[in-house]
Amino acid sequence: MLKFECLEQCLSCERTLLNTSLEHDIHYTIRNVFEYMFSTNARLETISFVVVKHLFAFQNSIQSSNCLRLRSVLGNESIRRFKYILNTDLASCRLKLASILYCSGHLRAVARVLEDLERIYHSKVKAVCGCVELEGDRDLQVFADMLSGHSVNEFSKPQFACCVRFLRQEVYCTPVILLFKMNRNMSEKEVAQRGYADKQWMDNAVVDSRPFLHYLQYLTYRGLGEREKQLHVLGVLEFNICDTRKQIQLYHPNTALHLLGHCYEMEGDYDSALHYYDESLRCCGTTNNAANWHVQRVRRVRRLISG
């Protein structure tokens, strides 16, 4: 539970730091965070170390995005840097790396990264988010269940999966569907309705790790022409989102529904796509919800098809 709280505080701290100083100089931000690492408070030191790793991940991703924006070849050094931060948590940095590789066209490499992640992403991995709190987040039974059935060596591996966050500075290594999350409002009036906490993350795209894993797999297998695997991961994605037993904890269910709806758009099944976009509007509200854009788009496509 201590590790969970450290990661949660790390994400919250990171969110504030990025929103206030990233535009000026991310190097300066990292240097400031390092000051905490020399604190006599071991808890602050742990949080600071994780924050630094996450900031390095953002730095690598932003540099990669700039590289892709300039249509330059993504260098091996940019990819190699990720090996130093992959163990920050189980999934988020691996998924950020996979997204960069996907946007740069290295589909075989993406498939390997995602398949390796899927092998270690067992059912007892706990999701962590710095934007949203869920009831039961600190239920001691959840942490006890995480321990059961695992040896000491197994439990030394990361047991938490942070949500994946994309900033506006990362647009060139962000899947297109998530760019709508960065412009989720239909009017300036909706922006004015955001509270302080909302303003900390609503201009970014934030997605739960597990549905994002399967969505990236869907995109990758689609690009590779591996239809059987593509349909399999679509089924897994749909099951994880729609499972009535709620075995998969989602902090951002509306984003997960958008990913699923987009998969059905790519399948040409516009009725199912609309169903999931409408479900997002129903369960998460119409204000500041990117599903409004998706519904408009799908309805326009259907009108064009029907003549």
Side-chain angles (χ1 to χ4, degrees):
M1 187 169 181
L2 177 61
K3 176 68 172 177
F4 170 78
E5 291 179 342
C6 284
L7 277 172
E8 189 180 53
Q9 289 186 35
C10 151
L11 294 175
S12 179
C13 176
E14 165 199 291
R15 182 186 66 203
T16 303
L17 287 168
L18 288 171
N19 283 337
T20 57
S21 59
L22 179 62
E23 295 178 0
H24 298 93
D25 192 350
I26 196 168
H27 297 285
Y28 179 73
T29 305
I30 292 173
R31 189 179 67 184
N32 284 345
V33 176
F34 260 111
E35 293 179 4
Y36 287 100
M37 297 180 68
F38 296 98
S39 168
T40 55
N41 187 320
R43 185 187 181 89
L44 280 179
E45 183 177 333
T46 301
I47 294 170
S48 300
F49 189 66
V50 177
V51 168
V52 167
K53 283 190 172 185
H54 274 271
L55 289 176
F56 271 124
F58 278 115
Q59 183 182 46
N60 289 344
S61 184
I62 290 168
Q63 289 173 349
S64 299
S65 181
N66 288 333
C67 182
L68 294 174
R69 177 177 61 85
L70 297 172
R71 299 187 178 182
S72 302
V73 177
L74 194 63
N76 290 333
E77 183 59 32
S78 299
I79 304 302
R80 279 197 294 267
R81 290 194 196 108
F82 271 91
K83 71 180 181 181
Y84 301 111
I85 51 179
L86 289 180
N87 66 343
T88 304
D89 66 297
L90 184 80
S92 66
C93 288
R94 288 176 170 83
L95 290 170
K96 187 66 74 76
L97 172 60
S99 184
I100 292 170
L101 290 170
Y102 174 79
C103 292
S104 58
H106 299 294
L107 298 186
R108 290 293 177 191
V110 180
R112 288 195 296 271
V113 171
L114 297 177
E115 287 165 2
D116 286 344
L117 173 56
E118 188 175 29
R119 275 193 288 272
I120 61 175
Y121 207 141
H122 55 80
S123 61
K124 293 181 181 179
V125 171
K126 180 165 175 50
V128 187
C129 182
C131 306
V132 181
E133 290 187 12
L134 294 180
E135 185 179 351
D137 262 353
R138 290 167 175 76
D139 187 344
L140 292 178
Q141 185 58 47
V142 174
F143 296 95
D145 290 342
M146 290 172 63
L147 280 167
S148 64
H150 292 279
S151 67
V152 174
N153 289 335
E154 286 177 316
F155 198 69
S156 65
K157 300 174 184 178
Q159 299 293 308
F160 299 95
C162 299
C163 293
V164 185
R165 183 181 186 187
F166 290 94
L167 308 175
R168 289 176 179 267
Q169 292 88 343
E170 300 173 273
V171 293
Y172 288 91
C173 55
T174 304
V176 173
I177 195 67
L178 292 179
L179 299 183
F180 288 90
K181 302 294 292 184
M182 300 179 185
N183 300 277
R184 66 188 71 206
N185 56 293
M186 300 290 286
S187 67
E188 289 302 314
K189 185 178 179 180
E190 291 183 37
V191 177
Q193 294 179 33
R194 297 176 185 175
Y196 175 78
D198 297 330
K199 291 176 182 178
Q200 296 291 308
W201 62 274
M202 275 198 171
D203 284 335
N204 307 145
V206 190
V207 58
D208 290 276
S209 286
R210 194 180 291 272
F212 191 47
L213 161 64
H214 299 308
Y215 175 73
L216 283 179
Q217 285 180 316
Y218 178 88
L219 294 180
T220 303
Y221 294 139
R222 181 173 185 262
L224 292 172
E226 298 185 15
R227 182 63 173 163
E228 187 175 340
K229 289 183 177 180
Q230 180 189 355
L231 291 177
H232 171 72
V233 295
L234 174 57
V236 174
L237 174 63
E238 187 166 31
F239 175 79
N240 285 341
I241 295 172
C242 303
D243 180 19
T244 55
R245 294 172 296 174
K246 299 299 180 187
Q247 290 184 323
I248 305 301
Q249 186 181 42
L250 295 177
Y251 286 91
H252 303 277
N254 61 327
T255 308
L257 287 166
H258 298 175
L259 300 184
L260 183 55
H262 188 226
C263 288
Y264 276 108
E265 270 194 81
M266 290 183 279
E267 288 290 312
D269 185 348
Y270 299 112
D271 289 337
S272 294
L274 272 178
H275 167 74
Y276 287 115
Y277 292 144
D278 285 336
E279 181 66 14
S280 171
L281 294 171
R282 186 191 67 79
C283 71
C284 303
T286 58
T287 304
N288 288 307
N289 192 335
N292 289 300
W293 297 112
H294 303 320
V295 168
Q296 284 188 2
R297 181 182 63 254
V298 174
R299 287 177 177 168
R300 186 165 58 248
V301 170
R302 288 210 308 185
R303 284 197 299 269
L304 289 172
I305 292 174
S306 62

